[in-house]
Amino acid sequence: MRGGAADTGESAKTASCPGPGRKSRVPAVKVCRHCGETKPVSAFPRNRATRDGLSSWCRLCHYAATRKTKQTRRAEYYRREKERAGNFLPDCDDSLMGRGL
């Protein structure tokens, strides 16, 4: 195990619980860097790359950003497909694009 209680010689109880005078790594609340609201840590998805193991954006901000990106990419995809189909089928009308042709 890497970085766990077995490497340091501490018991699992000591490694997971901060002792007297030690601060816990995970606070009870966190401020979302996108919306600026203070929320409980349960409102933040996990991110192993960060020091506290939580994302800097709350779940709602992540969801909204992901939805917006997907809509933008979908619109861009349909625009490119329409151009591509138009190059090969000059008499193709817009009603065929909705059917995946």
mmCIF file of all heavy atoms in Angstrom, residues 4 6 12 19 28 31 35 38 51 58 60 68 70 72-75 91 98:
data_model
loop_
_atom_site.group_PDB
_atom_site.id
_atom_site.type_symbol
_atom_site.label_atom_id
_atom_site.label_comp_id
_atom_site.label_asym_id
_atom_site.label_seq_id
_atom_site.Cartn_x
_atom_site.Cartn_y
_atom_site.Cartn_z
ATOM 1 N N GLY A 4 -0.507 4.731 2.859
ATOM 2 C CA GLY A 4 -1.509 4.353 3.845
ATOM 3 C C GLY A 4 -0.911 4.177 5.220
ATOM 4 O O GLY A 4 0.253 4.497 5.484
ATOM 5 N N ALA A 6 -0.147 1.433 6.655
ATOM 6 C CA ALA A 6 0.847 0.357 6.703
ATOM 7 C C ALA A 6 2.254 0.888 6.439
ATOM 8 O O ALA A 6 3.221 0.384 6.992
ATOM 9 C CB ALA A 6 0.490 -0.714 5.687
ATOM 10 N N ALA A 12 -4.636 2.033 11.635
ATOM 11 C CA ALA A 12 -5.642 2.644 10.775
ATOM 12 C C ALA A 12 -6.426 3.712 11.512
ATOM 13 O O ALA A 12 -6.805 4.728 10.953
ATOM 14 C CB ALA A 12 -6.581 1.581 10.222
ATOM 15 N N GLY A 19 -5.338 13.616 15.471
ATOM 16 C CA GLY A 19 -5.189 13.652 16.925
ATOM 17 C C GLY A 19 -5.421 15.039 17.475
ATOM 18 O O GLY A 19 -5.729 15.982 16.735
ATOM 19 N N ALA A 28 -15.850 20.727 6.862
ATOM 20 C CA ALA A 28 -17.274 20.383 6.825
ATOM 21 C C ALA A 28 -17.992 21.118 5.700
ATOM 22 O O ALA A 28 -18.976 20.620 5.165
ATOM 23 C CB ALA A 28 -17.928 20.700 8.155
ATOM 24 N N VAL A 31 -16.393 26.402 -0.287
ATOM 25 C CA VAL A 31 -16.926 27.439 -1.163
ATOM 26 C C VAL A 31 -16.730 27.004 -2.609
ATOM 27 O O VAL A 31 -15.625 26.634 -3.008
ATOM 28 C CB VAL A 31 -16.205 28.786 -0.919
ATOM 29 C CG1 VAL A 31 -16.716 29.852 -1.882
ATOM 30 C CG2 VAL A 31 -16.378 29.239 0.514
ATOM 31 N N CYS A 35 -19.860 29.383 -8.429
ATOM 32 C CA CYS A 35 -21.018 30.182 -8.012
ATOM 33 C C CYS A 35 -20.739 30.997 -6.740
ATOM 34 O O CYS A 35 -21.483 31.920 -6.430
ATOM 35 C CB CYS A 35 -22.243 29.297 -7.799
ATOM 36 S SG CYS A 35 -22.095 28.094 -6.467
ATOM 37 N N THR A 38 -21.291 28.867 -0.241
ATOM 38 C CA THR A 38 -20.725 27.944 0.725
ATOM 39 C C THR A 38 -21.681 26.776 0.870
ATOM 40 O O THR A 38 -22.849 26.958 1.188
ATOM 41 C CB THR A 38 -20.524 28.633 2.091
ATOM 42 O OG1 THR A 38 -19.673 29.762 1.907
ATOM 43 C CG2 THR A 38 -19.910 27.689 3.094
ATOM 44 N N ARG A 51 -5.899 18.573 -3.301
ATOM 45 C CA ARG A 51 -5.382 18.268 -1.972
ATOM 46 C C ARG A 51 -6.454 17.711 -1.046
ATOM 47 O O ARG A 51 -6.213 16.757 -0.314
ATOM 48 C CB ARG A 51 -4.778 19.527 -1.356
ATOM 49 C CG ARG A 51 -4.172 19.289 0.017
ATOM 50 C CD ARG A 51 -3.545 20.525 0.552
ATOM 51 N NE ARG A 51 -2.283 20.732 -0.165
ATOM 52 C CZ ARG A 51 -1.458 21.720 0.056
ATOM 53 N NH1 ARG A 51 -1.755 22.620 0.957
ATOM 54 N NH2 ARG A 51 -0.345 21.832 -0.614
ATOM 55 N N CYS A 58 -19.147 22.918 -7.301
ATOM 56 C CA CYS A 58 -20.186 22.067 -6.715
ATOM 57 C C CYS A 58 -20.840 21.219 -7.806
ATOM 58 O O CYS A 58 -20.655 21.458 -8.998
ATOM 59 C CB CYS A 58 -21.226 22.905 -5.983
ATOM 60 S SG CYS A 58 -22.214 23.976 -7.041
ATOM 61 N N LEU A 60 -23.935 21.054 -8.780
ATOM 62 C CA LEU A 60 -24.882 21.792 -9.630
ATOM 63 C C LEU A 60 -24.157 22.581 -10.717
ATOM 64 O O LEU A 60 -24.603 22.614 -11.876
ATOM 65 C CB LEU A 60 -25.738 22.718 -8.776
ATOM 66 C CG LEU A 60 -26.689 22.040 -7.799
ATOM 67 C CD1 LEU A 60 -27.409 23.077 -6.939
ATOM 68 C CD2 LEU A 60 -27.692 21.188 -8.544
ATOM 69 N N LYS A 68 -24.336 22.462 -20.829
ATOM 70 C CA LYS A 68 -24.091 23.519 -21.813
ATOM 71 C C LYS A 68 -23.071 23.059 -22.863
ATOM 72 O O LYS A 68 -23.260 23.281 -24.060
ATOM 73 C CB LYS A 68 -23.571 24.772 -21.110
ATOM 74 C CG LYS A 68 -23.318 25.922 -22.028
ATOM 75 C CD LYS A 68 -22.821 27.133 -21.281
ATOM 76 C CE LYS A 68 -22.480 28.253 -22.233
ATOM 77 N NZ LYS A 68 -21.927 29.416 -21.544
ATOM 78 N N LYS A 70 -22.377 19.957 -23.776
ATOM 79 C CA LYS A 70 -22.973 18.936 -24.626
ATOM 80 C C LYS A 70 -23.895 19.554 -25.674
ATOM 81 O O LYS A 70 -23.899 19.138 -26.833
ATOM 82 C CB LYS A 70 -23.749 17.925 -23.788
ATOM 83 C CG LYS A 70 -22.850 16.935 -23.089
ATOM 84 C CD LYS A 70 -23.666 15.908 -22.353
ATOM 85 C CE LYS A 70 -22.775 14.886 -21.678
ATOM 86 N NZ LYS A 70 -23.556 13.843 -21.001
ATOM 87 N N THR A 72 -23.691 22.586 -26.935
ATOM 88 C CA THR A 72 -22.859 23.304 -27.896
ATOM 89 C C THR A 72 -22.220 22.329 -28.873
ATOM 90 O O THR A 72 -22.227 22.557 -30.084
ATOM 91 C CB THR A 72 -21.769 24.100 -27.166
ATOM 92 O OG1 THR A 72 -22.391 24.989 -26.245
ATOM 93 C CG2 THR A 72 -20.918 24.887 -28.141
ATOM 94 N N ARG A 73 -21.684 21.242 -28.335
ATOM 95 C CA ARG A 73 -21.032 20.260 -29.205
ATOM 96 C C ARG A 73 -22.034 19.577 -30.121
ATOM 97 O O ARG A 73 -21.723 19.269 -31.269
ATOM 98 C CB ARG A 73 -20.295 19.221 -28.372
ATOM 99 C CG ARG A 73 -19.042 19.768 -27.746
ATOM 100 C CD ARG A 73 -18.299 18.698 -27.025
ATOM 101 N NE ARG A 73 -17.050 19.220 -26.499
ATOM 102 C CZ ARG A 73 -16.194 18.506 -25.805
ATOM 103 N NH1 ARG A 73 -16.448 17.240 -25.541
ATOM 104 N NH2 ARG A 73 -15.091 19.047 -25.357
ATOM 105 N N ARG A 74 -23.236 19.322 -29.631
ATOM 106 C CA ARG A 74 -24.265 18.679 -30.447
ATOM 107 C C ARG A 74 -24.654 19.594 -31.612
ATOM 108 O O ARG A 74 -24.782 19.145 -32.755
ATOM 109 C CB ARG A 74 -25.490 18.359 -29.595
ATOM 110 C CG ARG A 74 -26.548 17.568 -30.335
ATOM 111 C CD ARG A 74 -27.711 17.209 -29.437
ATOM 112 N NE ARG A 74 -27.287 16.347 -28.355
ATOM 113 C CZ ARG A 74 -27.494 16.593 -27.060
ATOM 114 N NH1 ARG A 74 -28.137 17.678 -26.685
ATOM 115 N NH2 ARG A 74 -27.074 15.769 -26.134
ATOM 116 N N ALA A 75 -24.827 20.882 -31.325
ATOM 117 C CA ALA A 75 -25.185 21.832 -32.371
ATOM 118 C C ALA A 75 -24.063 21.926 -33.412
ATOM 119 O O ALA A 75 -24.329 21.972 -34.626
ATOM 120 C CB ALA A 75 -25.467 23.202 -31.774
ATOM 121 N N ASP A 91 -29.101 18.451 -53.525
ATOM 122 C CA ASP A 91 -30.546 18.633 -53.526
ATOM 123 C C ASP A 91 -31.190 18.130 -52.236
ATOM 124 O O ASP A 91 -32.396 18.053 -52.129
ATOM 125 C CB ASP A 91 -31.166 17.942 -54.738
ATOM 126 C CG ASP A 91 -30.861 16.448 -54.751
ATOM 127 O OD1 ASP A 91 -29.925 16.030 -54.039
ATOM 128 O OD2 ASP A 91 -31.535 15.734 -55.494
ATOM 129 N N GLY A 98 -32.832 15.678 -39.771
ATOM 130 C CA GLY A 98 -33.414 15.244 -38.506
ATOM 131 C C GLY A 98 -33.544 13.736 -38.404
ATOM 132 O O GLY A 98 -33.718 13.192 -37.327
#
